[in-house]
């Protein structure tokens, strides 16, 4: 019996090692060195593309932009405590929350909303009812929350930045398995974790470390075995820090650079295409972004405006629209 157990243990170890080796080969396999610049921003934005103002809100601090299955825009405002939507080219209040910051649709039609009170609300647009999806971790109340993203299995990553900063990196990121009400700790010791996104292949999670003006890449909770470890995916200059994140179908990462008035684009290996700068008439509070039918939509929160620009890439289809 002991020999059988030892044999099974050896077999398991071999399989894990083989999987790790396969991951290592894929991760560290050499690639041709490019003769010229790796990228140009024209690969992302057509030469004649112009920014278009979509809508302007009356107040608050609009962010958390999403589209429902009918193509309607949904947003939140932590300053005014509003869940918002756009109807007849006007921003309209749907309901009030204490401090809604981020929002993402679930496949079942509910809109999950992070709140600065440390709660995730689940709002049903069909019935108008709202319930608490998450409020504690190991029996303790969560601190203020910020952004969230569903993975392909319906699991939910969300960030908890309140109380953390560049000099006090105690922010955390949690993962809520599909069908569960108890989150698990995914990453900690982060200087204000803000936006969050998942790579196109689902293998890594991108986290905006707002307090250090950079984006981290962390192996996803359910990623196959690999030697890849958390690392700095992108470091930025100017502005304050990265806010919302989005990924296109080729794996490129789009970063809303807060107080810089621009979007930074990187390929799946971290190399930069460049930036898309908002027009002079816009503000610099670039907070969130989303893809829709060939356009990249941006929320600019100092003037409460939504802008869009034509892009050459298609965004990943969000879990809520699958």
């Amino acid at each position: 019996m002991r020999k059988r157990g030892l044999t099974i243990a050896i077999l398991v170890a071999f399989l894990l090692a083989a999987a790790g080796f396969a991951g290592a080969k894929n991760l560290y396999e050499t690639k041709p060195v490019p003769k010229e610049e790796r990228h140009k921003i024209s690969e992302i934005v057509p030469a004649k593309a112009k920014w278009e103002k979509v809508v302007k809100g009356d107040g608050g601090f609009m962010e958390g932009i999403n589209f429902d299955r009918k193509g309607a825009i949904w947003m939140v405002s932590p300053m005014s405590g509003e869940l918002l939507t756009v109807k007849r080219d006007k921003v309209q209040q749907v309901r009030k929350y204490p401090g809604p910051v981020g929002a993402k649709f679930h496949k079942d039609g509910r809109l999950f909303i992070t709140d600065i009170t440390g709660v995730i609300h689940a709002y049903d647009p069909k019935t108008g009812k709202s319930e608490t999806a998450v409020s504690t971790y190991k029996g303790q109340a969560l601190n203020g929350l910020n952004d969230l993203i569903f993975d392909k299995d319906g699991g939910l990553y969300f960030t908890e930045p309140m109380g953390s900063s560049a000099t006090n990196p105690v922010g955390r990121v949690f993962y809520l398995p599909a069908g569960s009400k108890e989150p698990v700790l995914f990453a900690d010791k982060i200087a204000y974790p803000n936006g969050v996104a998942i790579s196109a292949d689902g293998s890594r999670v991108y986290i905006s470390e707002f307090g250090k003006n950079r984006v981290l890449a962390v192996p996803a909770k359910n990623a196959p075995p690999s030697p890849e470890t958390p690392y700095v995916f992108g470091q930025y200059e100017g502005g304050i820090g990265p806010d919302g994140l989005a990924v296109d179908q080729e794996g490129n990462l789009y970063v809303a650079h807060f107080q810089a008035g621009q979007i930074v684009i990187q390929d799946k290996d971290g190399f930069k295409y460049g930036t898309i700068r908002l027009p002079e008439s816009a503000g610099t509070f670039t907070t969130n972004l989303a893809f829709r039918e060939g356009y990249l939509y941006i929320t600019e929160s100092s003037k409460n405006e939504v802008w869009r620009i034509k892009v050459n890439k298609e965004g990943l289809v969000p879990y809520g629209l699958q």
Side-chain angles (χ1 to χ4, degrees), residues 114-136:
T114 51
D115 201 289
I116 58 176
T117 59
V119 171
I120 295 182
H121 310 283
Y123 171 75
D124 189 339
K126 293 182 179 179
T127 64
K129 294 182 178 180
S130 183
E131 61 182 10
T132 298
V134 180
S135 62
T136 61

Side-chain angles (χ1 to χ4, degrees), residues 39 55 73 96 116 128 149 182 209 237 248 259 309 311:
H39 297 297
V55 70
I73 294 175
K96 298 282 285 186
I116 58 176
I149 187 78
E182 181 61 34
E209 190 170 22
E237 60 181 17
D248 68 26
Q259 193 60 295
I309 192 169
V311 290

Side-chain angles (χ1 to χ4, degrees), residues 162-178:
M162 298 307 171
S164 66
S165 68
T167 57
N168 188 38
V170 295
R172 301 182 292 184
V173 180
F174 292 92
Y175 180 71
L176 181 69

Side-chain angles (χ1 to χ4, degrees), residues 74 83 94-97 105-106 108-113 120-133:
W74 290 76
L83 172 61
V94 176
R95 66 169 293 151
K96 298 282 285 186
Y97 283 106
F105 277 101
H106 190 280
D108 64 14
R110 291 180 298 164
L111 185 62
F112 280 60
I113 304 165
I120 295 182
H121 310 283
Y123 171 75
D124 189 339
K126 293 182 179 179
T127 64
K129 294 182 178 180
S130 183
E131 61 182 10
T132 298

